[in-house]
Amino acid sequence: MAKLNVQERERLREEIRQLCSQYPNEYWRKLDLEREYPYEFVDALTKSGYLSALIPEEYGGKGYGMTEATIILEEINRSGGHAAGCHAQMYTMGALLKHGSEEQKRKYLPEIATGSLRFQAFSVTEDSAGSNTTAIETFAEKTDGGYIVNGHKNWTSRVLQSDLLMLLARTTPTDQVGAKKTEGLSLFLVDLREIRENQPETFVVEPVRTMFNYATNQVFYKNMKIPSDCLIGEEGKGFRYVLDGMNAERTLLAAEAIGDGYFFIGKAVNYANEREVFDRKIGTNQGIQFPISQAYAAIKAADLMRYEAARKYDEGEKYGEQANLAKYLASEASWKAANVCLDTHGGYGFVDQYDVERKFRETRMYQVAPVSNNMILAFLGQNVLGMPRSY
């Protein structure tokens, strides 16, 4: 792992800021209005090599650690952008790197690193299961040489912009796995290029419009045939592999929420220093100053937990508690900062050209996904504090 020192990390920040400066708020505002995917930005990020941050150097990536990856995503959101268009490539790397075969890694990772192959889609959640992942019903029936997949997924984001899809499906019916419902789930890496070319009728995608610009979809699998070499790791052990990715995802998205928080604090401070009402700068008023300062304190505290989670990941330590805490604290802090920023701007905060209302809608997601904050509290209560299971 190419672990960077403090000075190198600061240079990385500056490089990302310079790249993001080419895609100002006006760029994101226009995409938000039209609900368009940020193709140009993602291409630039890919060509610069930053999306291959977590891919080892031997496969053509940067070989950075989680700490560096979080810095990249933080700076995108801090600049006024939205990393949701590309962040999946980072957090899906974990399952492939840790549990994929050497053949799979050598086949796909070099092309992902160069950008000639896009890996942005993760298909897990289902309507009836929600947060209860063990209750998913999408089934991959084993056949000679492969599997036949049937089922329905929602919140399969960026699948229209992706060449590869990571799919979680049952390979053993729930009633045959006994009390341990986490068994019998398998993880697959599906090459969508082959599916789209040879059996497009088996893979139906329906875009879903949300309250902010997020390229998400429902997906229907209709007797979709995939070869046996799509399987990641062992059959029936996919839930454990997904958990590895989930903790990485929570750490990475905590950094995005922190980036949003700094964005809101910066906007609020600038406006408070410029706006005059009753012949004085509104920032003179403690009623403006104190809420901004409180939001800043919350962001800084969440930032420390983000770094602790990333450090533990990079050093190979258990970090489930820290990953969940980082996501919880960061999402709560970014929402606090969003409200403070909107209050500071008053009515102008609702006007699109100020970019507050756009980021306000975007940052609200982090309290709900990935994983709702109530589920994080349940995890902490049961697995960290030792209280009885609540679900």
Side-chain angles (χ1 to χ4, degrees), residues 169-279:
R170 277 220 162 268
T171 44
T172 302
T174 307
D175 59 7
Q176 294 180 25
V177 296
K180 202 165 185 180
K181 304 302 181 185
T182 57
E183 296 296 319
L185 292 165
S186 298
L187 193 61
F188 300 93
L189 185 61
V190 181
D191 191 331
L192 293 177
R193 295 171 300 177
E194 187 280 328
I195 302 297
R196 287 166 177 151
E197 180 178 354
N198 298 316
Q199 42 177 332
E201 71 284 352
T202 69
F203 182 68
V204 180
V205 178
E206 292 184 1
V208 175
R209 184 179 175 88
T210 62
M211 68 184 285
F212 63 98
N213 188 20
Y214 196 59
T216 195
N217 314 272
Q218 295 188 73
V219 176
F220 298 86
Y221 302 98
K222 301 181 177 182
N223 293 316
M224 185 178 76
K225 298 177 183 178
I226 57 175
S228 56
D229 60 10
C230 286
L231 180 67
I232 292 179
E234 294 182 54
E235 185 179 291
K237 304 296 182 183
F239 184 79
R240 178 164 57 88
Y241 306 155
V242 167
L243 283 183
D244 284 345
M246 284 180 174
N247 284 331
E249 180 184 24
R250 289 166 196 180
T251 305
L252 289 163
L253 269 68
E256 292 182 18
I258 288 164
D260 279 353
Y262 284 129
F263 169 87
F264 288 121
I265 298 298
K267 294 283 282 188
V269 168
N270 289 339
Y271 193 78
N273 286 335
E274 296 170 358
R275 176 68 169 165
E276 289 190 13
V277 180
F278 299 115
D279 300 320

Side-chain angles (χ1 to χ4, degrees), residues 65-116:
M66 178 62 70
T67 302
E68 289 75 27
T70 65
I71 289 172
I72 293 169
L73 297 184
E74 176 201 334
E75 288 298 332
I76 293 172
N77 279 34
R78 191 171 187 167
S79 75
H82 194 208
C86 55
H87 58 201
Q89 184 161 306
M90 290 190 177
Y91 63 72
T92 51
M93 282 298 107
L96 179 57
L97 288 171
K98 290 183 179 181
H99 307 290
S101 66
E102 186 61 28
E103 181 182 355
Q104 287 172 325
K105 287 185 276 191
R106 294 206 175 278
K107 179 178 181 180
Y108 294 119
L109 289 178
E111 290 189 70
I112 294 171
T114 63
S116 58

Side-chain angles (χ1 to χ4, degrees), residues 125-135 239 246 368 371-372 375 391:
T125 311
E126 299 180 10
D127 283 338
S128 59
S131 297
N132 185 11
T133 303
T134 61
F239 184 79
M246 284 180 174
V368 176
V371 73
S372 76
M375 291 294 287
Y391 65 92

Side-chain angles (χ1 to χ4, degrees), residues 24-35 80 213 267 351-358 361-362:
N25 281 311
E26 293 81 3
Y27 170 81
W28 296 99
R29 195 185 309 147
K30 185 175 184 296
L31 292 176
D32 177 71
L33 181 65
E34 300 174 2
R35 292 296 194 272
N213 188 20
K267 294 283 282 188
V351 179
D352 62 353
Q353 71 183 55
Y354 286 82
D355 298 296
V356 176
E357 61 86 27
R358 171 175 59 84
R361 287 181 281 113
E362 291 173 1

Side-chain angles (χ1 to χ4, degrees), residues 113-182:
T114 63
S116 58
L117 194 61
R118 298 167 299 177
F119 185 22
Q120 291 289 353
F122 198 11
S123 194
V124 176
T125 311
E126 299 180 10
D127 283 338
S128 59
S131 297
N132 185 11
T133 303
T134 61
I136 64 171
E137 298 176 350
T138 296
F139 198 83
E141 180 183 359
K142 194 166 187 177
T143 62
D144 290 338
Y147 298 84
I148 297 178
V149 181
N150 282 284
H152 166 245
K153 299 282 189 180
N154 55 1
W155 310 123
T156 300
S157 303
R158 299 163 301 274
V159 72
L160 295 174
Q161 292 79 28
S162 191
D163 300 307
L164 297 177
L165 168 76
M166 192 165 280
L167 167 68
L168 185 69
R170 277 220 162 268
T171 44
T172 302
T174 307
D175 59 7
Q176 294 180 25
V177 296
K180 202 165 185 180
K181 304 302 181 185
T182 57

Side-chain angles (χ1 to χ4, degrees), residues 1 9 38 46 73 91 95 110 172 189 228 245 266 269 273 280 282 284 286 298 321 330 354 382:
M1 181 189 300
R9 285 174 181 167
T46 302
L73 297 184
Y91 63 72
T172 302
L189 185 61
S228 56
V269 168
N273 286 335
R280 57 191 282 173
I282 64 171
T284 306
Q286 290 181 347
E321 176 184 351
Y354 286 82
Q382 294 153 205

